[in-house]
Amino acid sequence: MSDFFSAMPLAQDTVRRMLAQLRSVPALAERYADVLALDSLEDLVHVPVMRKDDMNVALEHLRPRALQGATWTFQSGGSTGMPKLGYAPTGLYMEEVFEQWKALGPDDVFVNGWGAGKLWGAHYLMAAYADLAGCTGLGLGSITKGEYDFWLELFADRRVTAIGGTPSVLRPIFAHARAVGLKLPDLRAVLWLGEGWNPGLDDDLPAVAPNARRWGLYGSTETWVVGTNTPQCAVDVWHPLPSQLVHVGPDQLIDVTSLKPHGLNPALRYQTGDAGEWVRCTCGVPSRALRVLGRRNGEVKFRGVHFVNVDALIGTITGQPGVAQVQLVITEYADRPSLMEVLIVPRRDAAPDLAGRVREHILGTEIGGPNTMFHRDPDALVVRLVDALVHNERTGKVPDLVERYEP
């Protein structure tokens, strides 16, 4: 199959329209000036990839408006910086998702556990999906640990059949239910989007809700939903929507061209920051599927001289027995050398010496080997076991790398 193939009606016209929009942005006109014609989708190979900063510049100039209904504005991802905005019309393009992905039906009682407000779109995205499914919805939003017992009892009483949220938000809820012995026998579907699946849920769900299966969506505020995942799919494999033209470059970086005729974000070869590869899915769908290999965060400079590859370090730690989740935290201090912390959420069956074992593993790799400052200054590296990773309070999303400054 061609890398730039789509059966979407009017796909070429949509691509040309986005190119014209981007050329109308003064700050971007020059970078698209050499793209003379798009006689076929194959010509997209000559179009430069777009990154988040390019999209922000384009949207600031274009300020898109929906042809009908409201124009909704949302912030991208789990960032803790200034909002990176994206736009969508009423309905958030969920009709196409519902045609391909049947996570909910009219008999379901669905708990929407994504936080509402503060410019994050997931709560409203799933509300639009629930409307199409015709189910009974409970708009829960974010809850605190002290509220878990009350809401879990309500879920059991109302015979909730589906619950959705960011995996890092769902995990402590189900872990608490398991700890207190609460069961949700009617729960059949756990919907997730916003980050990768949390493997700790695989530990807790069989004890709390043995009939529950996972249903995932993959995308971003810039692209909206790119692909879907069902219980029959591997947890990291996605089936692209017909309107999303997904391309995997030679460096494995994914870029997406949105072919929605009335799309508001000019996502023309938008690079998501994730790496991927084409595979055949175990679910049996014959068309090729996209395996997302994770973020490509690249290198970060530590103490001004030592480059650490975030993806490589997290990858080597994640493969260690007993590790459920990993996060790097680099703290810069005004009056002493900076510190790198490796935070680990352990699996339930992890050995007591997990932190020490992971530290020794890091020191034995190229990243932390004898020629690095981790050997010259043992205090530069700390490995800690934690119940939860540092997360964005607005979205619940967990970044791979957190950088802090302490005066």
PDB file of all heavy atoms in Angstrom, residues 253 273-275 293-300 308-318 326 328 367 400-401:
ATOM      1  N   LEU A 253       9.059   8.393  12.802  1.00  0.00           N
ATOM      2  CA  LEU A 253       8.176   9.425  13.333  1.00  0.00           C
ATOM      3  C   LEU A 253       6.883   9.473  12.537  1.00  0.00           C
ATOM      4  O   LEU A 253       6.886   9.422  11.300  1.00  0.00           O
ATOM      5  CB  LEU A 253       8.874  10.783  13.319  1.00  0.00           C
ATOM      6  CG  LEU A 253       9.958  10.975  14.373  1.00  0.00           C
ATOM      7  CD1 LEU A 253      10.651  12.321  14.199  1.00  0.00           C
ATOM      8  CD2 LEU A 253       9.367  10.868  15.779  1.00  0.00           C
ATOM      9  N   GLY A 273       4.942  13.619  17.361  1.00  0.00           N
ATOM     10  CA  GLY A 273       5.967  13.401  18.376  1.00  0.00           C
ATOM     11  C   GLY A 273       6.110  11.942  18.754  1.00  0.00           C
ATOM     12  O   GLY A 273       7.030  11.569  19.492  1.00  0.00           O
ATOM     13  N   ASP A 274       5.207  11.090  18.234  1.00  0.00           N
ATOM     14  CA  ASP A 274       5.280   9.654  18.491  1.00  0.00           C
ATOM     15  C   ASP A 274       5.995   8.948  17.345  1.00  0.00           C
ATOM     16  O   ASP A 274       5.977   9.398  16.195  1.00  0.00           O
ATOM     17  CB  ASP A 274       3.876   9.054  18.619  1.00  0.00           C
ATOM     18  CG  ASP A 274       3.195   9.437  19.906  1.00  0.00           C
ATOM     19  OD1 ASP A 274       3.899   9.672  20.905  1.00  0.00           O
ATOM     20  OD2 ASP A 274       1.948   9.528  19.920  1.00  0.00           O
ATOM     21  N   ALA A 275       6.592   7.828  17.672  1.00  0.00           N
ATOM     22  CA  ALA A 275       7.159   6.938  16.666  1.00  0.00           C
ATOM     23  C   ALA A 275       6.207   5.774  16.446  1.00  0.00           C
ATOM     24  O   ALA A 275       5.417   5.420  17.327  1.00  0.00           O
ATOM     25  CB  ALA A 275       8.525   6.427  17.113  1.00  0.00           C
ATOM     26  N   LEU A 293       4.992   3.333  19.046  1.00  0.00           N
ATOM     27  CA  LEU A 293       6.146   2.900  19.823  1.00  0.00           C
ATOM     28  C   LEU A 293       6.461   3.839  20.978  1.00  0.00           C
ATOM     29  O   LEU A 293       7.337   3.544  21.792  1.00  0.00           O
ATOM     30  CB  LEU A 293       7.366   2.790  18.907  1.00  0.00           C
ATOM     31  CG  LEU A 293       7.200   1.835  17.712  1.00  0.00           C
ATOM     32  CD1 LEU A 293       8.406   1.930  16.791  1.00  0.00           C
ATOM     33  CD2 LEU A 293       6.983   0.412  18.187  1.00  0.00           C
ATOM     34  N   GLY A 294       5.748   4.958  21.058  1.00  0.00           N
ATOM     35  CA  GLY A 294       5.947   5.884  22.160  1.00  0.00           C
ATOM     36  C   GLY A 294       6.534   7.192  21.694  1.00  0.00           C
ATOM     37  O   GLY A 294       6.839   7.406  20.523  1.00  0.00           O
ATOM     38  N   ARG A 295       6.689   8.119  22.642  1.00  0.00           N
ATOM     39  CA  ARG A 295       7.201   9.440  22.339  1.00  0.00           C
ATOM     40  C   ARG A 295       8.673   9.382  21.940  1.00  0.00           C
ATOM     41  O   ARG A 295       9.409   8.491  22.351  1.00  0.00           O
ATOM     42  CB  ARG A 295       7.073  10.355  23.563  1.00  0.00           C
ATOM     43  CG  ARG A 295       5.669  10.489  24.105  1.00  0.00           C
ATOM     44  CD  ARG A 295       4.730  11.160  23.159  1.00  0.00           C
ATOM     45  NE  ARG A 295       5.047  12.576  22.963  1.00  0.00           N
ATOM     46  CZ  ARG A 295       4.382  13.365  22.119  1.00  0.00           C
ATOM     47  NH1 ARG A 295       3.406  12.879  21.390  1.00  0.00           N
ATOM     48  NH2 ARG A 295       4.708  14.640  22.011  1.00  0.00           N
ATOM     49  N   ARG A 296       9.042  10.352  21.137  1.00  0.00           N
ATOM     50  CA  ARG A 296      10.447  10.554  20.824  1.00  0.00           C
ATOM     51  C   ARG A 296      10.861  11.877  21.468  1.00  0.00           C
ATOM     52  O   ARG A 296      10.819  12.934  20.854  1.00  0.00           O
ATOM     53  CB  ARG A 296      10.673  10.574  19.310  1.00  0.00           C
ATOM     54  CG  ARG A 296      10.611   9.196  18.667  1.00  0.00           C
ATOM     55  CD  ARG A 296      11.791   8.343  19.120  1.00  0.00           C
ATOM     56  NE  ARG A 296      11.817   7.044  18.460  1.00  0.00           N
ATOM     57  CZ  ARG A 296      11.355   5.931  18.967  1.00  0.00           C
ATOM     58  NH1 ARG A 296      10.770   5.958  20.146  1.00  0.00           N
ATOM     59  NH2 ARG A 296      11.442   4.795  18.315  1.00  0.00           N
ATOM     60  N   ASN A 297      11.200  11.793  22.742  1.00  0.00           N
ATOM     61  CA  ASN A 297      11.544  12.995  23.490  1.00  0.00           C
ATOM     62  C   ASN A 297      12.969  13.476  23.229  1.00  0.00           C
ATOM     63  O   ASN A 297      13.330  14.587  23.568  1.00  0.00           O
ATOM     64  CB  ASN A 297      11.385  12.738  24.993  1.00  0.00           C
ATOM     65  CG  ASN A 297       9.951  12.495  25.369  1.00  0.00           C
ATOM     66  OD1 ASN A 297       9.143  13.396  25.338  1.00  0.00           O
ATOM     67  ND2 ASN A 297       9.622  11.256  25.716  1.00  0.00           N
ATOM     68  N   GLY A 298      13.801  12.584  22.641  1.00  0.00           N
ATOM     69  CA  GLY A 298      15.162  12.981  22.335  1.00  0.00           C
ATOM     70  C   GLY A 298      16.019  13.095  23.593  1.00  0.00           C
ATOM     71  O   GLY A 298      15.789  12.435  24.605  1.00  0.00           O
ATOM     72  N   GLU A 299      17.011  13.960  23.513  1.00  0.00           N
ATOM     73  CA  GLU A 299      17.977  14.081  24.600  1.00  0.00           C
ATOM     74  C   GLU A 299      17.732  15.337  25.422  1.00  0.00           C
ATOM     75  O   GLU A 299      17.279  16.365  24.911  1.00  0.00           O
ATOM     76  CB  GLU A 299      19.397  14.111  24.033  1.00  0.00           C
ATOM     77  CG  GLU A 299      19.827  12.792  23.416  1.00  0.00           C
ATOM     78  CD  GLU A 299      21.268  12.834  22.948  1.00  0.00           C
ATOM     79  OE1 GLU A 299      21.714  13.899  22.514  1.00  0.00           O
ATOM     80  OE2 GLU A 299      21.937  11.781  23.014  1.00  0.00           O
ATOM     81  N   VAL A 300      18.055  15.232  26.700  1.00  0.00           N
ATOM     82  CA  VAL A 300      17.990  16.378  27.603  1.00  0.00           C
ATOM     83  C   VAL A 300      19.369  16.544  28.235  1.00  0.00           C
ATOM     84  O   VAL A 300      20.048  15.556  28.539  1.00  0.00           O
ATOM     85  CB  VAL A 300      16.900  16.174  28.683  1.00  0.00           C
ATOM     86  CG1 VAL A 300      17.186  14.954  29.534  1.00  0.00           C
ATOM     87  CG2 VAL A 300      16.757  17.413  29.544  1.00  0.00           C
ATOM     88  N   VAL A 308      21.254  12.976  28.262  1.00  0.00           N
ATOM     89  CA  VAL A 308      20.527  11.760  28.610  1.00  0.00           C
ATOM     90  C   VAL A 308      19.390  11.583  27.622  1.00  0.00           C
ATOM     91  O   VAL A 308      18.561  12.487  27.451  1.00  0.00           O
ATOM     92  CB  VAL A 308      19.968  11.835  30.047  1.00  0.00           C
ATOM     93  CG1 VAL A 308      19.134  10.593  30.355  1.00  0.00           C
ATOM     94  CG2 VAL A 308      21.102  11.973  31.050  1.00  0.00           C
ATOM     95  N   ASN A 309      19.334  10.438  26.962  1.00  0.00           N
ATOM     96  CA  ASN A 309      18.237  10.136  26.047  1.00  0.00           C
ATOM     97  C   ASN A 309      17.052   9.636  26.863  1.00  0.00           C
ATOM     98  O   ASN A 309      17.081   8.556  27.448  1.00  0.00           O
ATOM     99  CB  ASN A 309      18.672   9.084  25.031  1.00  0.00           C
ATOM    100  CG  ASN A 309      17.629   8.884  23.949  1.00  0.00           C
ATOM    101  OD1 ASN A 309      16.481   8.548  24.224  1.00  0.00           O
ATOM    102  ND2 ASN A 309      18.035   9.091  22.708  1.00  0.00           N
ATOM    103  N   VAL A 310      16.020  10.466  26.917  1.00  0.00           N
ATOM    104  CA  VAL A 310      14.865  10.168  27.768  1.00  0.00           C
ATOM    105  C   VAL A 310      14.188   8.868  27.341  1.00  0.00           C
ATOM    106  O   VAL A 310      13.881   8.006  28.167  1.00  0.00           O
ATOM    107  CB  VAL A 310      13.860  11.338  27.727  1.00  0.00           C
ATOM    108  CG1 VAL A 310      12.596  11.002  28.529  1.00  0.00           C
ATOM    109  CG2 VAL A 310      14.505  12.608  28.263  1.00  0.00           C
ATOM    110  N   ASP A 311      13.956   8.719  26.048  1.00  0.00           N
ATOM    111  CA  ASP A 311      13.253   7.519  25.561  1.00  0.00           C
ATOM    112  C   ASP A 311      14.050   6.245  25.855  1.00  0.00           C
ATOM    113  O   ASP A 311      13.504   5.238  26.281  1.00  0.00           O
ATOM    114  CB  ASP A 311      13.004   7.632  24.056  1.00  0.00           C
ATOM    115  CG  ASP A 311      12.201   8.855  23.690  1.00  0.00           C
ATOM    116  OD1 ASP A 311      11.098   9.003  24.215  1.00  0.00           O
ATOM    117  OD2 ASP A 311      12.697   9.675  22.900  1.00  0.00           O
ATOM    118  N   ALA A 312      15.368   6.318  25.606  1.00  0.00           N
ATOM    119  CA  ALA A 312      16.201   5.126  25.817  1.00  0.00           C
ATOM    120  C   ALA A 312      16.240   4.735  27.284  1.00  0.00           C
ATOM    121  O   ALA A 312      16.152   3.547  27.628  1.00  0.00           O
ATOM    122  CB  ALA A 312      17.611   5.387  25.286  1.00  0.00           C
ATOM    123  N   LEU A 313      16.364   5.737  28.166  1.00  0.00           N
ATOM    124  CA  LEU A 313      16.443   5.428  29.588  1.00  0.00           C
ATOM    125  C   LEU A 313      15.131   4.844  30.098  1.00  0.00           C
ATOM    126  O   LEU A 313      15.121   3.827  30.808  1.00  0.00           O
ATOM    127  CB  LEU A 313      16.809   6.682  30.386  1.00  0.00           C
ATOM    128  CG  LEU A 313      16.950   6.509  31.901  1.00  0.00           C
ATOM    129  CD1 LEU A 313      17.927   5.386  32.227  1.00  0.00           C
ATOM    130  CD2 LEU A 313      17.387   7.808  32.556  1.00  0.00           C
ATOM    131  N   ILE A 314      14.024   5.463  29.735  1.00  0.00           N
ATOM    132  CA  ILE A 314      12.726   4.940  30.172  1.00  0.00           C
ATOM    133  C   ILE A 314      12.492   3.548  29.592  1.00  0.00           C
ATOM    134  O   ILE A 314      11.983   2.653  30.268  1.00  0.00           O
ATOM    135  CB  ILE A 314      11.602   5.903  29.781  1.00  0.00           C
ATOM    136  CG1 ILE A 314      11.668   7.148  30.676  1.00  0.00           C
ATOM    137  CG2 ILE A 314      10.235   5.231  29.885  1.00  0.00           C
ATOM    138  CD1 ILE A 314      10.589   8.161  30.405  1.00  0.00           C
ATOM    139  N   GLY A 315      12.912   3.346  28.349  1.00  0.00           N
ATOM    140  CA  GLY A 315      12.720   2.037  27.724  1.00  0.00           C
ATOM    141  C   GLY A 315      13.480   0.932  28.434  1.00  0.00           C
ATOM    142  O   GLY A 315      12.947  -0.150  28.667  1.00  0.00           O
ATOM    143  N   THR A 316      14.718   1.210  28.808  1.00  0.00           N
ATOM    144  CA  THR A 316      15.521   0.172  29.473  1.00  0.00           C
ATOM    145  C   THR A 316      15.010  -0.115  30.885  1.00  0.00           C
ATOM    146  O   THR A 316      15.102  -1.246  31.359  1.00  0.00           O
ATOM    147  CB  THR A 316      17.008   0.559  29.506  1.00  0.00           C
ATOM    148  OG1 THR A 316      17.761  -0.558  29.976  1.00  0.00           O
ATOM    149  CG2 THR A 316      17.284   1.744  30.394  1.00  0.00           C
ATOM    150  N   ILE A 317      14.430   0.895  31.548  1.00  0.00           N
ATOM    151  CA  ILE A 317      13.902   0.672  32.898  1.00  0.00           C
ATOM    152  C   ILE A 317      12.571  -0.066  32.838  1.00  0.00           C
ATOM    153  O   ILE A 317      12.305  -0.972  33.638  1.00  0.00           O
ATOM    154  CB  ILE A 317      13.733   2.013  33.632  1.00  0.00           C
ATOM    155  CG1 ILE A 317      15.087   2.689  33.813  1.00  0.00           C
ATOM    156  CG2 ILE A 317      13.066   1.805  34.992  1.00  0.00           C
ATOM    157  CD1 ILE A 317      14.998   4.117  34.316  1.00  0.00           C
ATOM    158  N   THR A 318      11.733   0.308  31.870  1.00  0.00           N
ATOM    159  CA  THR A 318      10.408  -0.312  31.754  1.00  0.00           C
ATOM    160  C   THR A 318      10.516  -1.815  31.535  1.00  0.00           C
ATOM    161  O   THR A 318       9.638  -2.580  31.948  1.00  0.00           O
ATOM    162  CB  THR A 318       9.632   0.331  30.591  1.00  0.00           C
ATOM    163  OG1 THR A 318       9.509   1.739  30.836  1.00  0.00           O
ATOM    164  CG2 THR A 318       8.232  -0.259  30.467  1.00  0.00           C
ATOM    165  N   VAL A 326       7.296   4.465  34.637  1.00  0.00           N
ATOM    166  CA  VAL A 326       8.555   5.171  34.905  1.00  0.00           C
ATOM    167  C   VAL A 326       8.398   6.638  34.512  1.00  0.00           C
ATOM    168  O   VAL A 326       7.741   6.961  33.531  1.00  0.00           O
ATOM    169  CB  VAL A 326       9.726   4.564  34.117  1.00  0.00           C
ATOM    170  CG1 VAL A 326      11.038   5.264  34.477  1.00  0.00           C
ATOM    171  CG2 VAL A 326       9.829   3.071  34.357  1.00  0.00           C
ATOM    172  N   LEU A 328      11.002  10.408  34.606  1.00  0.00           N
ATOM    173  CA  LEU A 328      12.218  11.113  34.986  1.00  0.00           C
ATOM    174  C   LEU A 328      11.862  12.512  35.486  1.00  0.00           C
ATOM    175  O   LEU A 328      11.056  13.206  34.862  1.00  0.00           O
ATOM    176  CB  LEU A 328      13.172  11.239  33.801  1.00  0.00           C
ATOM    177  CG  LEU A 328      13.628   9.964  33.101  1.00  0.00           C
ATOM    178  CD1 LEU A 328      14.686  10.303  32.061  1.00  0.00           C
ATOM    179  CD2 LEU A 328      14.146   8.945  34.092  1.00  0.00           C
ATOM    180  N   ILE A 367      24.020   4.770  29.319  1.00  0.00           N
ATOM    181  CA  ILE A 367      23.476   6.044  29.806  1.00  0.00           C
ATOM    182  C   ILE A 367      24.054   6.412  31.166  1.00  0.00           C
ATOM    183  O   ILE A 367      24.308   7.575  31.462  1.00  0.00           O
ATOM    184  CB  ILE A 367      21.936   5.961  29.882  1.00  0.00           C
ATOM    185  CG1 ILE A 367      21.357   5.759  28.480  1.00  0.00           C
ATOM    186  CG2 ILE A 367      21.343   7.214  30.533  1.00  0.00           C
ATOM    187  CD1 ILE A 367      19.883   5.434  28.468  1.00  0.00           C
ATOM    188  N   ASP A 400       6.669  11.880  30.362  1.00  0.00           N
ATOM    189  CA  ASP A 400       7.842  11.049  30.612  1.00  0.00           C
ATOM    190  C   ASP A 400       8.904  11.820  31.393  1.00  0.00           C
ATOM    191  O   ASP A 400       9.633  11.241  32.205  1.00  0.00           O
ATOM    192  CB  ASP A 400       8.447  10.559  29.293  1.00  0.00           C
ATOM    193  CG  ASP A 400       7.594   9.514  28.622  1.00  0.00           C
ATOM    194  OD1 ASP A 400       6.790   8.867  29.314  1.00  0.00           O
ATOM    195  OD2 ASP A 400       7.718   9.337  27.403  1.00  0.00           O
ATOM    196  N   LEU A 401       9.012  13.124  31.113  1.00  0.00           N
ATOM    197  CA  LEU A 401      10.053  13.952  31.721  1.00  0.00           C
ATOM    198  C   LEU A 401       9.432  15.173  32.378  1.00  0.00           C
ATOM    199  O   LEU A 401       8.626  15.876  31.757  1.00  0.00           O
ATOM    200  CB  LEU A 401      11.067  14.392  30.655  1.00  0.00           C
ATOM    201  CG  LEU A 401      12.113  15.421  31.096  1.00  0.00           C
ATOM    202  CD1 LEU A 401      13.062  14.814  32.107  1.00  0.00           C
ATOM    203  CD2 LEU A 401      12.864  15.960  29.880  1.00  0.00           C
TER     204      LEU A 401
END
